[in-house]
Amino acid sequence: MNTTNKTVLVTGGGSGIGFQIAKLFSEKGSKVIITGRNEEKLKSAAAKLQNVDYYVADVTNAANIESLITLIVANYPSLDVLINNAGNASIYQVGNGQDTFVKASEEIVTNYLSVVNLTEKLLPYLEKQAEPAVVNVTSIVAFAPSFLIPTYSASKAALRSYTQILRFTLEKKGSNVQVFELMPPLVNTDFSKDINGHKGIPPEEVAQELVRALESNTQEVRVGITEFVYSTFFAGSENAIPAIYQAEHGE
Ligand SMILES: NC(=O)c1ccc[n+]([C@@H]2O[C@H](COP(=O)([O-])OP(=O)(O)OC[C@H]3O[C@@H](n4cnc5c(N)ncnc54)[C@H](OP(=O)(O)O)[C@@H]3O)[C@@H](O)[C@H]2O)c1
């Protein structure tokens, strides 16, 4: 797909990977809308870029999401690209009697359910565009779970499943929406500072890889060491999707 002069919504675009994606699209003449919970962060991020608007919206808050959708439909009817990037993680061990339910619930709601909510609600509008796309930001831990961030890993595995099924379903019904999955390894951002993030790759590299993948229509975007881990242990696993479809639908 062409990545110039688009209208792009980046959730969690005020920092880290989302900010770098917003920056690249802005440099390519796109109108970019960034969202997050922290207004000061969004304001300062938008001020550093051209043609970027910001909107405060917590992806886990149903009323915030309804308002965001109303705003997008009214003011950005040419929305081409939805980038589901907002995410969070909690560090804890499982299996030692800790009460992990609250943290786990928050991670599942933020990283999985909120993506399903926003995507399903924006799809009818995206489908009106010539070359629309959804990008879901998962992680290397979507297929190789981390002991440090167990439910975060599970939430990204759930998001990977949803992304694969959504892609296949939309293809089957002839939709023009392409569904991309961005799978970074450890990246040096605020998010990862308590899990040795300083050893990770820069967020700029992740954003550049995404833009290259969008331009070459490469829907599974395995960045850096993610590609090595995938090709060593999981290569071809995505090919099971058509087989499951066939078994379930008899076609
Ligand atoms: N860093 C890594 O090692 C790594 C690796 C693989 C995948 N990822 C994924 O990459 C994505 C971006 O993370 P990052 O590393 O760039 O970290 P980051 O700089 O902390 O960015 C996360 C963004 O998400 C926003 N956010 C969090 N909860 C939100 C909520 N409930 N509603 C709306 N916005 C929310 C935050 O903004 P506010 O605080 O203003 O809400 C923040 O701008 C995440 O999905 C993460 O899981 C990160």
Side-chain angles (χ1 to χ4, degrees):
M1 64 179 277
N2 176 13
T3 57
T4 55
N5 301 317
K6 295 287 184 185
T7 304
V8 184
L9 171 61
V10 187
T11 68
S15 62
I17 297 167
F19 176 76
Q20 295 301 332
I21 293 171
K23 181 166 182 282
L24 285 191
F25 271 104
S26 139
E27 288 167 357
K28 286 167 157 285
S30 294
K31 163 60 79 182
V32 185
I33 308 103
I34 57 173
T35 67
R37 295 161 302 177
N38 181 326
E39 181 158 17
E40 281 312 306
K41 188 159 87 176
L42 291 169
K43 196 174 176 181
S44 133
K48 291 180 190 142
L49 305 175
Q50 298 287 316
N51 225 8
V52 172
D53 296 341
Y54 70 86
Y55 192 70
V56 178
D58 181 336
V59 292
T60 69
N61 180 307
N64 283 191
I65 291 307
E66 289 308 321
S67 304
L68 175 63
I69 288 161
T70 304
L71 174 106
I72 295 288
V73 171
N75 299 333
Y76 309 94
S78 62
L79 181 75
D80 304 285
V81 184
L82 165 63
I83 302 187
N84 287 306
N85 166 76
N88 67 20
S90 294
I91 302 171
Y92 52 83
Q93 288 187 325
V94 295
N96 62 4
Q98 282 177 351
D99 179 11
T100 58
F101 179 71
V102 173
K103 289 175 180 168
S105 301
E106 193 193 341
E107 289 173 295
I108 294 289
V109 172
T110 305
N111 301 336
Y112 179 62
L113 293 175
S114 71
V115 177
V116 174
N117 186 26
L118 190 59
T119 304
E120 298 288 333
K121 287 186 170 143
L122 284 177
L123 267 177
Y125 302 102
L126 289 165
E127 279 175 334
K128 292 180 182 162
Q129 312 306 327
E131 216 181 19
V134 172
V135 178
N136 289 339
V137 181
T138 66
S139 168
I140 189 171
V141 302
F143 45 83
S146 159
F147 288 86
L148 295 172
I149 42 179
T151 304
Y152 171 81
S153 303
S155 72
K156 293 296 189 179
L159 184 55
R160 175 161 170 73
S161 286
Y162 172 73
T163 305
Q164 291 176 308
I165 296 292
L166 179 67
R167 180 186 302 132
F168 195 77
T169 303
L170 293 180
E171 278 169 12
K172 274 274 172 197
K173 73 169 198 181
S175 168
N176 60 349
V177 180
Q178 286 204 73
V179 180
F180 294 82
E181 181 182 359
L182 178 63
M183 294 169 260
L186 187 64
V187 184
N188 188 6
T189 64
D190 284 352
F191 173 94
S192 58
K193 62 182 183 308
D194 297 328
I195 50 168
N196 288 320
H198 62 282
K199 295 182 180 168
I201 62 173
E204 292 86 339
E205 196 175 316
V206 180
Q208 285 158 5
E209 188 110 1
L210 173 63
V211 169
R212 277 196 292 274
L214 292 170
E215 286 171 350
S216 63
N217 298 316
T218 305
Q219 294 173 324
E220 293 232 331
V221 193
R222 295 183 285 267
V223 183
I225 198 173
T226 303
E227 178 55 38
F228 169 76
V229 171
Y230 177 83
S231 56
T232 306
F233 300 106
F234 303 96
S237 58
E238 75 279 7
N239 295 330
I241 305 282
I244 299 286
Y245 183 90
Q246 195 175 23
E248 289 177 348
H249 292 78
E251 54 180 84

